[in-house]
Amino acid sequence: MATKKKVLLKVIILGDTGVGKTSLMNQYVNKKFSNQYKATIGADFLTKELMVDDRVVTMQIWDTAGQERFQSLGVAFYRGADCCVLVYDVNVAKTFENLDSWRDEFLIQAGPRDPDNFPFVVLGNKIDLENQRVVSQKRAASWCQSKGNIPYFETSAKEAINVEQAFQTIAKNAIKLEDGLVFPIPPGIQVQPEQTQTKSSCC
Amino acid sequence: MSDQLGSSKSGAVDQLNGNNAGSDKAKPLLIGDENNSSSSISIDDEDDSDKASLVAPTIDEMLSKIDETTLANLDKPMMVRKYQHEDCSTPEWFEHSKHVFIFSLSGKPIYSRYGDEVQLNTFMATLSAMSSFVESQKDELRYINAGAFKFVFLHRDPLCLVSIYNTSEPPQIVSAQLEYMHALVVSMLTQTNMKAVFDAKYDLRDLLGGTDKFLDNLMKTIDNDTSILLNSVNCLRLNYNTRNEITTIIHNNRHESVLFALLVAGNKLVSFVKQKKYSLKPQDIHIVMNFVSSTSSFRESETWTPICLPNFNDAGFLHLYICYIMPDVCLLLFSAQAEAFYHLSSSKDAIVKELESRNLLEELSKAVQNHGYSVEATGVPYLLHFIQNETVMVAVASSHELYATFSPLESKQNVFDSFSQLLQWIKDNESNIYNPFLKILKD
């Protein structure tokens, strides 16, 4: 807690099981990718420092379990999130169709003050498997537009395509929300009118 | 996590770095002068209850204050804390016997006793996930036993405080220590502001900037001070009549807006005067003494600063006048009036003048140097340690707690005899040991 103002953003990654949430995070933070699938149990946490418009920002990334049986963290998990990242697999239609319920789930659980303007980012992952693709870019983009112009990125955690850019946007949008909340600093502190002091009454 | 803590015992020894963590250069956070401190408390004429009605300062006011402090600090080198470079990737971090973490309910870091809280942000997120998991089952996580270590959680909306330790203290004690840490945070922000800032999704660290030192110091004190354990305050050993005279002088010369007046020597209370309908809990007194003793710049001049007393009223600030009347003796005057500074300053002048004219400062100075009782002084055989606690504010002979330690091999009869002897000694010396702590005076 030094006196310098720091920004720490809580970012939550949601999406169906196996869409590559953990892989995206690992690619972004550790620059590593593994083909082996390992289910996330409960949650996993990673952190990364980055620069956004000359500001040092620390991202605290909450990687969640996509599998329902591991989703047991409840409301507290979503509380105070600065940005929510929705991930789907461009090669599996169901994972795209479920984005709606992930988004709703988040809005219900987190209860942000201004749900219409809460920063989401959508990532269509696994674009390296181009010949298996079932969800078109156009379809995804139009869904994002209908939900209040959510930024959309097509990514590959494996090939490190668009991962850096996506997280940069995530941070930028999350900060915008913080900045929007900055209270104007008044010219001088207003002094409340004082009531007359009770005469001290010691027995 | 627990495995890591347990298995790293063979790691490097604590690394002390040479930086002056307790440097004199530190600038206190909450200092405002009479021009910019907000008026935040008003006492209702009609109100007979013992809670003053407070008006919490707005967040704007808080932020503007912080901003001024930040600006004032721009040209000063940033202070580096001890252990600042450590985190859960360095072996020495696991060597500390009692960690303390404070984070918000959203899992954002606020404070770590050892290491940089930002570097530890995923660690604290993990702790918050553990607590959330239990919370989602409509329960509350309080303790975890993990090998040699214990985890103690304290939930105080919108904060969560956690200690991970391997000392032999029971969780209840550590939990009480975390309560003190929480009270300190409230004393700097007020509960009202803290909630407002949290609800607005602000990073609480912005408002707590530069206050690590207070938390570090309090934790150090808590670890070594039995009076906190007993929910009491240490008093300076002083002649009964001397103390009486001092208290009377403070009482007679204080400005009418003074709610509480305390004279302290280090973390020991010399004298305490209060308005009848208000009272001050030991916890609040400790918070204030910690605040004052953590900031060496208070020694140089009179200070006027807002401070919240969590047990008195956690919704707003009182104004505190701080002045060292002698190198180790500090006068503290609490007022609800933001513009009372000059009145209180004159009160101080009058008090010092009268203390001087009656040679009481000299006596006080002697007492400060000679404080402490040795076990030998009691003349009680077999006794190793003793602690005594006055359980009620107004002294009544039968309302004391006495704790004494003897060798485990001592016979019951010996212990019993010694104990009676100790009681007698305390009775004989009673008037000097404590009691005047709360003197109710006649107007």
Side-chain angles (χ1 to χ4, degrees), chain A residues 93-130:
Chain A
K94 187 82 193 137
T95 63
F96 176 72
E97 285 147 22
N98 280 343
L99 287 186
D100 257 319
S101 55
W102 282 115
R103 182 174 169 276
D104 292 347
E105 161 90 355
F106 176 83
L107 289 176
I108 292 165
Q109 299 269 20
R113 291 199 310 175
D114 185 6
D116 293 336
N117 291 310
F118 186 86
F120 284 96
V121 172
V122 171
L123 308 183
N125 195 31
K126 305 198 189 179
I127 55 162
D128 49 287
L129 309 170
E130 196 53 66

Side-chain angles (χ1 to χ4, degrees), chain A residues 1 10 47 81-82 189 203, chain B residues 36 106 108 121 201 212 441:
Chain A
M1 272 186 314
K10 175 173 174 178
T47 186
D82 295 293
I189 292 170
C203 63
Chain B
N36 72 1
S106 59
K108 289 190 180 184
N121 85 73
K201 290 221 306 149
D212 276 343
L441 287 144

Side-chain angles (χ1 to χ4, degrees), chain A residues 1-10 45-47 49 58-60 62 72-74 76-77 79-82 113 118 177-178 181-186 189-203, chain B residues 36 38-39 41 43 45 55 59-61 63-64 73 78 105-110 117-118 121-122 125-126 128-129 132-133 135-136 200-203 205-206 208 210-212 254 274-276 336-337 440-443:
Chain A
M1 272 186 314
T3 41
K4 201 176 161 217
K5 194 171 162 149
K6 303 168 192 169
V7 184
L8 190 131
L9 300 173
K10 175 173 174 178
F45 306 95
L46 278 180
T47 186
E49 232 174 52
T58 308
M59 256 206 244
Q60 183 190 54
W62 295 52
S72 46
L73 290 166
F77 192 88
R79 197 159 39 200
D82 295 293
R113 291 199 310 175
F118 186 86
L177 181 81
E178 278 256 315
L181 281 168
V182 166
F183 301 105
I185 291 167
I189 292 170
Q190 285 174 13
V191 177
Q192 302 271 345
E194 198 80 45
Q195 293 183 26
T196 345
Q197 168 73 37
T198 318
K199 180 131 181 29
S200 81
S201 54
C202 285
C203 63
Chain B
N36 72 1
S38 59
S39 161
I41 175 167
I43 293 183
D45 268 341
V55 183
I59 291 167
D60 291 349
E61 289 171 341
L63 283 175
S64 68
N73 278 341
M78 287 254 271
L105 286 181
S106 59
K108 289 190 180 184
I110 291 169
E117 79 280 350
V118 175
N121 85 73
T122 54
T126 310
S128 104
S132 300
F133 177 74
E135 190 189 326
S136 70
K201 290 221 306 149
Y202 249 100
D203 198 333
R205 288 179 309 150
D206 287 350
L208 285 167
T211 57
D212 276 343
R254 80 201 196 290
K274 68 174 200 83
Q275 285 196 9
K276 193 192 165 194
Q337 296 176 3
I440 307 272
L441 287 144
K442 293 190 177 65
D443 249 354

Side-chain angles (χ1 to χ4, degrees), chain A:
Chain A
M1 272 186 314
T3 41
K4 201 176 161 217
K5 194 171 162 149
K6 303 168 192 169
V7 184
L8 190 131
L9 300 173
K10 175 173 174 178
V11 175
I12 294 181
I13 306 187
L14 297 176
D16 279 6
T17 175
V19 297
K21 298 182 291 296
T22 305
S23 296
L24 278 165
M25 194 170 82
N26 262 325
Q27 178 57 257
Y28 177 58
V29 176
N30 300 322
K31 308 267 176 262
K32 276 181 194 152
F33 178 80
S34 159
N35 261 319
Q36 267 181 338
Y37 175 71
K38 212 174 83 204
T40 305
I41 298 171
D44 208 349
F45 306 95
L46 278 180
T47 186
K48 175 141 173 145
E49 232 174 52
L50 69 159
M51 294 292 290
V52 180
D53 304 334
D54 302 332
R55 283 161 91 179
V56 182
V57 173
T58 308
M59 256 206 244
Q60 183 190 54
I61 309 172
W62 295 52
D63 177 24
T64 65
Q67 284 186 37
E68 211 162 318
R69 64 194 175 104
F70 294 136
Q71 290 168 17
S72 46
L73 290 166
V75 184
F77 192 88
Y78 300 91
R79 197 159 39 200
D82 295 293
C83 182
C84 177
V85 183
L86 303 170
V87 186
Y88 78 97
D89 179 348
V90 297
N91 311 296
V92 184
K94 187 82 193 137
T95 63
F96 176 72
E97 285 147 22
N98 280 343
L99 287 186
D100 257 319
S101 55
W102 282 115
R103 182 174 169 276
D104 292 347
E105 161 90 355
F106 176 83
L107 289 176
I108 292 165
Q109 299 269 20
R113 291 199 310 175
D114 185 6
D116 293 336
N117 291 310
F118 186 86
F120 284 96
V121 172
V122 171
L123 308 183
N125 195 31
K126 305 198 189 179
I127 55 162
D128 49 287
L129 309 170
E130 196 53 66
N131 48 353
Q132 298 167 29
R133 179 156 190 160
V134 293
V135 182
S136 72
Q137 184 169 4
K138 202 178 149 198
R139 191 179 160 201
S142 85
W143 183 85
C144 288
Q145 203 173 9
S146 73
K147 299 292 174 191
N149 267 329
I150 301 178
Y152 175 60
F153 289 89
E154 304 223 314
T155 59
S156 162
K158 188 179 179 181
E159 313 277 343
I161 299 167
N162 258 344
V163 177
E164 198 79 36
Q165 293 88 325
F167 276 92
Q168 191 74 27
T169 304
I170 290 162
K172 217 168 184 163
N173 289 3
I175 280 194
K176 225 182 273 166
L177 181 81
E178 278 256 315
D179 283 349
L181 281 168
V182 166
F183 301 105
I185 291 167
I189 292 170
Q190 285 174 13
V191 177
Q192 302 271 345
E194 198 80 45
Q195 293 183 26
T196 345
Q197 168 73 37
T198 318
K199 180 131 181 29
S200 81
S201 54
C202 285
C203 63

